[in-house]
């Protein structure tokens, strides 16, 4: 089967600045923002113009280039002080995806090792982070697809494709590769309330690739499994703790519980930049709480009675014992635990 085209990108560096595809407007409109300063990129991450753990990390790396360019132009003799402030603000834009802090620390450590104008070297580093992520996604796509038997149907949650990464995707990369290998009968996608990453982004990506996709409301996932209609649930992650516990979009834990109950296998796909060996277990992962309004409305229109309140955790924690396999570019871990995760990350 011909290799799927890989044209979708969430971000692109240009001399004018960092271009971000505004994912808040998809699938109805494809519009790009061109951001020229670090603070604007931090706001764009917070406001989910760009989202998805690896995409957030790559975007932060480019934001570090913008910060260095601005600070060095303003004060060549003492650009580091302002740069450090920019990096702190950037790192605080969203708390759960460890890729953000990983990228900020990697860029800041490099920046402070440089003499003279840091921008050219930092830009090369940011571009390397971007390219390495894409390469990792193709590797994970092949490795994950190899776990899937011919004739399988799969369910995915949220968006883990080119829009959530540097390109191709993590869990959606596995689905792309498995489809290219003629292994899949059907692909199901949870709409993923309240932000609708599945309905608005995953479905859009798969339609672009001419891969048939069937959307379902999140509450239908367990019934789909009870009907025996999927053999795998395949998801991404925003942070994997040292013991293999996984933080991912809200609704992932429910899917994992239902999958285990119904004998459906559960795969987590994430680059090693998502693994946080400094966090012992899932209980120690910060869970982002987002605005109540995201639950109380849809498409900008209220859907709840005026006066109702909402609880809006953006992520939940799936314990390692509910995960059959974690796929990274460094290797595959079956039935993850701390020992296995540590051996993967050495
Ligand atoms: C490729 S991992 C993407 C990961 O990020 C999503 O969260 P958000 O859309 O809020 O950034 C979701 O947890 C996905 O699994």
């Amino acid at each position: 089967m011909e290799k799927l085209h890989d044209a979708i990108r969430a971000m692109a560096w240009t001399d004018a600045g960092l271009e971000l595809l505004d994912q808040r407007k998809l699938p109805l409109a494809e519009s790009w923002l061109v951001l020229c300063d670090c603070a604007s990129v931090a706001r764009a991450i917070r406001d989910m113009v760009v989202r998805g753990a690896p995409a957030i990390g790559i975007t932060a790396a480019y934001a570090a280039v913008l910060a260095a360019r601005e600070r060095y132009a303003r004060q060549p003799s003492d650009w580091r002080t302002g740069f450090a402030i920019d990096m702190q603000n950037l790192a605080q834009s969203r708390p759960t995806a460890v890729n953000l802090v990983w990228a900020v620390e990697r860029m800041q450590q490099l920046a402070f090792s440089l003499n003279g104008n840091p921008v050219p070297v930092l830009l090369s580093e940011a571009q390397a982070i971007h390219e390495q992520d894409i390469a990792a996604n193709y590797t994970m796509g092949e490795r994950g697809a190899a776990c899937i038997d011919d004739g399988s149907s799969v369910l995915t949650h949220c968006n883990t494709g080119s829009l959530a990464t540097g390109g191709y995707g993590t869990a959606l990369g596995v689905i792309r590769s498995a489809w290219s290998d003629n292994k899949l009968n059907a692909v199901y996608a949870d709409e993923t309330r309240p932000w609708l990453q599945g309905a608005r982004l995953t479905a859009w990506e798969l339609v672009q690739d001419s891969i048939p996709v069937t959307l379902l409301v999140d509450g239908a996932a367990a019934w789909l499994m009870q009907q025996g209609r999927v053999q795998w649930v395949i998801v991404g992650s925003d942070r994997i703790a040292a013991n293999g516990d996984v933080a991912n979009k809200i609704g992932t834990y429910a899917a994992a519980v239902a999958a285990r109950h119904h004998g459906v296998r559960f795969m987590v796909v994430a680059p090693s930049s998502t693994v946080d060996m400094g966090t012992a277990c899932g209980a120690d992962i910060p869970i982002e709480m987002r605005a109540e309004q995201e639950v109380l409305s849809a498409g900008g229109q209220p859907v709840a009675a005026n006066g109702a309140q909402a609880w809006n955790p953006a992520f939940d924690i799936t314990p390692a014992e509910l995960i059959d396999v974690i796929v990274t570019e460094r290797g595959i871990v079956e039935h993850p635990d701390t020992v296995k995760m540590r051996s993967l990350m050495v």
Side-chain angles (χ1 to χ4, degrees), residues 3 134-149 168-181 183 234 267 269 325 327-329 331-332:
K3 196 134 184 71
I134 297 171
N137 292 339
Y138 277 102
T139 300
M140 294 189 290
E142 287 178 25
R143 288 197 168 132
C147 299
I148 298 170
D149 293 333
Y168 198 66
T170 57
L172 207 56
V174 168
I175 290 170
R176 285 185 158 115
S177 294
W179 180 265
S180 292
D181 296 342
K183 289 192 152 187
I234 308 177
M267 179 188 294
V269 188
V325 60
V327 177
T328 78
E329 81 283 11
I332 288 182

Side-chain angles (χ1 to χ4, degrees), residues 183-196:
K183 289 192 152 187
L184 299 184
N185 274 346
V187 179
Y188 294 89
D190 287 338
E191 65 173 355
T192 317
R193 276 275 296 160
W195 220 76
L196 299 179

Side-chain angles (χ1 to χ4, degrees), residues 23 45 48 50-56 94 96-97 99 137 157-161 163-165 169-172 192 195 197 201 235-238 247-250 252 269-271 274 288 290 314-315:
Q23 299 187 32
I45 292 171
M48 295 176 70
V50 59
R51 31 63 51 201
I56 289 171
R94 288 188 77 189
T96 304
N99 313 62
N137 292 339
H157 189 71
C158 196
N159 172 255
T160 60
L163 294 172
T165 66
T170 57
L172 207 56
T192 317
W195 220 76
Q197 290 94 329
L201 306 180
V235 300
S237 177
D238 293 77
N248 199 51
K249 183 51 55 195
I250 190 75
T252 302
V269 188
T274 303
E288 178 184 10
R290 292 189 66 88
F315 303 100

Side-chain angles (χ1 to χ4, degrees), residues 107-127:
M107 295 299 285
Q108 179 159 300
Q109 185 177 9
L110 175 62
F112 287 179
S113 71
L114 300 173
N115 298 313
N117 182 356
V119 173
V121 172
L122 289 178
L123 178 56
S124 297
E125 184 76 358
Q127 290 168 328

